[in-house]
Amino acid sequence: MPGPGSIVVASSGLIKVVPGLMIWTLIAFGITFFVLRRYAFGPIQKLIDERRERIRQALEEADRAREEARKLLEEHRALIAGARSDAEQILAEARRVADAQRERVKEETEADRQRRLEETRRQIEAETRRALEQIRAEVASLTLIAAEKVTRKSLDDADHRRLIDEAIGELDFSLLER
């Protein structure tokens, strides 16, 4: 057995440099490399390039989709802002119309009330005149009856008329007209 400081050199056939084997190994490597390069590396590189191109196109499409989504979002926000503005305008217009209608109804109601008051006033005045005419007629009739009783005789039409006119002239109807 070798001692603690000795180096053992193993002799193996794989480690030995054999010039003939080396040449055949290089020739086999070159043929394999040529065949692989001709039939494998080209199609593999082509597949890699195609995949790289598909990835690049997918990234470009994703960028375009992201930009389009951003534009759509901005348009959506603008539409929402426009809708809010339109809604506020519609509400303001509705309030204005409601106020105008309320004012118009108030004016119409006041005009109707004034018209009814005036009509009632005219009716009261007409009724007052009618009542005064009836009172005058009654007073005239009562005056004739009283005059007949006082004079104890019948008066002719001229006397009746004169007595009626005197009695009515003496009466003060101004208090009743109020």
Side-chain angles (χ1 to χ4, degrees):
M1 284 235 187
S6 65
I7 297 176
V8 176
V9 177
S11 108
S12 164
L14 292 177
I15 297 180
K16 288 185 194 177
V17 177
V18 177
L21 182 61
M22 193 189 296
I23 290 175
W24 283 112
T25 303
L26 287 174
I27 290 174
F29 178 76
I31 291 172
T32 305
F33 183 74
F34 176 75
V35 169
L36 285 176
R37 183 166 185 218
R38 177 121 174 136
Y39 298 105
F41 290 157
I44 290 172
Q45 186 63 41
K46 184 179 176 186
L47 287 174
I48 291 171
D49 291 342
E50 287 174 359
R51 181 177 167 121
R52 184 178 296 137
E53 183 61 25
R54 282 195 311 263
I55 291 171
R56 187 188 60 76
Q57 287 176 352
L59 288 174
E60 287 176 359
E61 287 178 20
D63 287 342
R64 281 193 301 269
R66 186 180 310 115
E67 184 64 27
E68 186 175 336
R70 187 187 59 76
K71 286 179 184 176
L72 288 174
L73 181 62
E74 288 175 6
E75 288 176 9
H76 179 70
R77 286 179 180 161
L79 286 174
I80 288 175
R84 282 185 184 139
S85 174
D86 290 347
E88 289 172 3
Q89 288 175 351
I90 289 170
L91 283 173
E93 180 67 19
R95 284 186 189 115
R96 187 188 62 74
V97 167
D99 290 343
Q101 285 181 337
R102 193 176 308 118
E103 188 63 31
R104 183 180 50 82
V105 167
K106 182 179 174 184
E107 289 171 359
E108 288 175 358
T109 304
E110 181 62 24
D112 187 48
R113 187 180 73 80
Q114 289 296 328
R115 183 186 53 77
R116 288 182 185 198
L117 281 173
E118 187 61 33
E119 180 66 28
T120 304
R121 215 175 276 124
R122 274 183 270 152
Q123 287 176 354
I124 290 171
E125 288 174 3
E127 287 297 320
T128 303
R129 280 192 300 272
R130 201 172 308 122
L132 286 174
E133 291 300 319
Q134 278 182 336
I135 290 172
R136 283 183 182 150
E138 285 293 320
V139 166
S141 173
L142 289 174
T143 305
L144 284 176
I145 292 171
E148 262 182 48
K149 285 187 181 184
V150 169
T151 59
R152 295 261 182 224
K153 65 175 186 167
S154 276
L155 301 174
D156 62 3
D157 283 339
D159 289 335
H160 281 263
R161 180 63 47 205
R162 185 181 49 78
L163 286 175
I164 290 172
D165 287 340
E166 286 175 9
I168 290 175
E170 292 173 5
L171 292 176
D172 184 18
F173 288 107
S174 63
L175 294 174
L176 293 176
E177 291 178 354
R178 289 187 208 151

